Amino acid sequence: MGRLSNHQSATVSEEQILAALRQVQEPELGGDLVSRQMVKHIAICDGIVRCTIELTTPACPLKDQIRAEAEAAVQAVPGVKEVHIDFTANVRRPAGIPEQAAIPGVANVVAVAAGKGGVGKSTVAANLAVALAQMGAQVGLLDADVFGPSLPLMLGVRGQPMAVSDASGQPMMLPLTNYGIKVMSVGFLIDEAQPVIWRGPMVSQLLRQFLYQVAWAPLDYLIIDMPPGTGDVALTLAQSLPLTGALIVTTPQQVATIDVVKAMEMFRKVNVPLLGIVENMAYFIAPDTGKRYDIFGSGGAQRLAQQLGVPVLGQIPLGISVREGGDSGQPAVISDAPDAYADIFRELARQVAARISVLQYATV
């Protein structure tokens, strides 16, 4: 690791601090912080210790736990008066994706998919992307639902992408931006009232351009709002995309969960890891009485999780502010309205990031 300290006091050494941090485990990945090379800098001056720890993602759900345990370990070293823990993040691309398939400058590509339409997949994708950006990640969002592009409306983005050339002179498109994320959609290229009447090969070619001829870099996460179901376009994307993993969105009722099994099996057949399940519209809390109503039933996602061995990463209630935010171009995760459930969307983002980190570092 080399010498990490800028200045050392007479009573506290860098070796003592490293020995203390070897007692702190990375809670998601296992192994201690020093062995995992997560300790990037130690500065010691007159008993005041400052440590920089590199996380696997800025959206780490257990950051507070790591901070508390690291502070306690270092504080126990004789001579230490104060401890300050700083964090950086290094989001890696998982092993197993061939270099020729990778999107330049994009660490991870995440498919947000659904077995059927109408379950709120695009709402989840938009809020997931914005939540990751809120936590400091560099995020892009691709609207791959070509026949029903809704993300321009949901994110309040209008305009046409500019054409530029990359360093080698190849033509590229600049994605539009809002809420700290880069966005690309066929909705930017056609009139809102114009239907997309294209055959599968044309759609696949367009989406390939959106992947490889858009100036995405640098990105920690590129979120793909997939077409619903397991049709030709969805299957082609699942087969050809350099996917880190897939997140499946469902609602609780059986008519939705039956189709989820098909979507999950599609990804498994093309060797795409399943990150987990999101249960959208899981329940409704009446704003006037506070009473909970399971409008679409209950337990559907949990039954799927047990059946397929995939975790439920979040349950998002049905909220008026969630719907209003989608219609007005203001994602729920930026709202402080109680029924926007911004905290639940942010926790979902943390859980997704944690699952990706496990995949990234499984072989480290």
Side-chain angles (χ1 to χ4, degrees), residues 232-274:
D232 178 62
V233 176
L235 178 59
T236 299
L237 283 171
Q239 288 176 316
S240 60
L241 281 174
L243 289 173
T244 303
L247 182 68
I248 309 295
V249 182
T250 186
T251 48
Q253 74 267 40
Q254 189 173 358
V255 70
T257 58
I258 287 175
D259 290 324
V260 167
V261 175
K262 299 175 185 177
M264 295 176 79
E265 287 304 316
M266 177 186 74
F267 284 110
R268 279 180 166 159
K269 285 182 178 179
V270 295
N271 298 315
V272 174
L274 296 172

Side-chain angles (χ1 to χ4, degrees), residues 273-307:
L274 296 172
L275 299 175
I277 302 170
V278 180
E279 189 173 65
N280 194 30
M281 309 181 211
Y283 53 87
F284 174 70
I285 302 294
D288 51 347
T289 65
K291 184 177 179 180
R292 170 174 167 158
Y293 295 89
D294 295 324
I295 295 175
F296 297 111
S298 63
Q302 195 58 52
R303 287 190 295 272
L304 277 173
Q306 293 171 354
Q307 174 186 346

Side-chain angles (χ1 to χ4, degrees), residues 150-206:
S150 55
L151 290 181
L153 173 64
M154 289 185 169
L155 293 168
V157 184
R158 295 290 184 272
Q160 286 196 334
M162 290 181 59
V164 296
S165 297
D166 65 10
S168 63
Q170 295 298 312
M172 302 285 285
M173 287 184 286
L174 289 179
L176 302 184
T177 61
N178 204 10
Y179 303 114
I181 65 174
K182 300 175 182 178
V183 187
M184 181 57 69
S185 171
V186 72
F188 300 147
L189 307 178
I190 63 173
D191 185 88
E192 290 182 359
Q194 178 183 344
V196 178
I197 308 174
W198 294 344
R199 295 192 182 276
M202 293 177 62
V203 175
S204 298
Q205 182 179 357
L206 174 70

Side-chain angles (χ1 to χ4, degrees), residues 96-108:
I97 295 177
E99 283 294 330
Q100 64 270 23
I103 301 169
V106 177
N108 295 279

